[in-house]
Amino acid sequence: MLRALNALLPEDIALQSLRATRPDFHPRFDAFSRVYEYSIVNAGTRQPLWRRRAWQVYGALDFDTLQCAADLLVGEHDFGAFGQAPQGNNTVRQVTLSRWTREPLRRGQLLRYRVEGNAFLYHMVRRMVGMQVDVAQGRLDLAAFEQVFRSGDLAQAGTLAPAQGLVLLEVLYAD
């Protein structure tokens, strides 16, 4: 069954496992947590092999400042400054993990942002990443980042990171 379903899906989507569930199960509304990862290649020159899998950011990034911005996002907050609700207008979400990691590349470094929350707004992760990069490059200071974030006002939103670095890693269910 798994192979048959994957044969019908586009190349960039693949089911990893299947199991029976209750008849009233809803994959979106029964999820209690989702985990996204966003990848950035930070190098002085273009890295073509990463073109479709990461945002290529040129110029220095202050990793400690990047993580300080990420730390501000943990908790239950109005994330309206980062996106729109897919239904209705409730933009309050609970983020339980907001963390950057880095690893060296032959030329440059690979930064990965992992964020876990109960639900996400449309473009929320990409705006969170884009604005954190603005902070790490000195285009926006940490206090201004926090002020925009706390405002809950999408009109104040900053950089929207490109789509190619974003991956939905996991959707978690109670059972």
Side-chain angles (χ1 to χ4, degrees):
M1 177 79 114
L2 182 66
R3 285 190 357 218
L5 286 171
N6 278 334
L8 298 172
L9 290 170
E11 287 292 313
D12 55 351
I13 299 174
L15 299 176
Q16 301 301 306
S17 65
L18 292 174
R19 69 174 193 219
T21 188
R22 63 184 195 279
D24 64 339
F25 172 78
H26 193 288
R28 179 174 168 208
F29 298 118
D30 287 344
F32 73 85
S33 182
R34 294 130 177 99
V35 180
Y36 284 92
E37 186 172 83
Y38 194 94
S39 299
I40 293 175
V41 170
N42 184 221
T45 58
R46 189 174 60 235
Q47 302 297 307
L49 296 178
W50 286 96
R51 181 174 63 91
R52 293 181 186 218
R53 299 183 297 149
W55 179 17
Q56 295 191 34
V57 175
Y58 306 101
L61 290 170
D62 183 327
F63 185 81
D64 293 333
T65 303
L66 201 57
Q67 188 55 55
C68 285
D71 290 342
L72 292 171
L73 303 173
V74 175
E76 184 173 271
H77 306 286
D78 180 350
F79 284 91
F82 295 120
Q84 297 174 317
Q87 294 175 329
N89 57 7
N90 181 8
T91 54
V92 175
R93 300 292 187 265
Q94 174 78 36
V95 168
T96 55
L97 174 73
S98 178
R99 180 181 64 228
W100 286 94
T101 59
R102 62 183 164 181
E103 57 191 79
L105 295 174
R106 187 168 178 191
R107 289 183 171 64
Q109 63 181 339
L110 176 63
L111 303 171
R112 293 187 195 269
Y113 177 62
R114 188 166 289 199
V115 61
E116 180 175 350
N118 66 337
F120 289 86
L121 305 171
Y122 184 65
H123 285 156
M124 179 174 156
V125 176
R126 290 173 54 201
R127 278 203 180 87
M128 288 165 54
V129 168
M131 290 184 68
Q132 288 176 79
V133 167
D134 286 344
V135 171
Q137 288 190 318
R139 291 192 302 267
L140 184 67
D141 67 36
L142 200 53
F145 171 82
E146 185 172 12
Q147 182 179 358
V148 170
F149 164 48
R150 304 271 184 225
S151 77
D153 182 8
L154 185 57
Q156 294 186 41
T159 301
L160 178 64
Q164 71 263 24
L166 184 62
V167 174
L168 173 62
L169 284 182
E170 193 171 16
V171 180
L172 304 168
Y173 300 94
D175 52 357

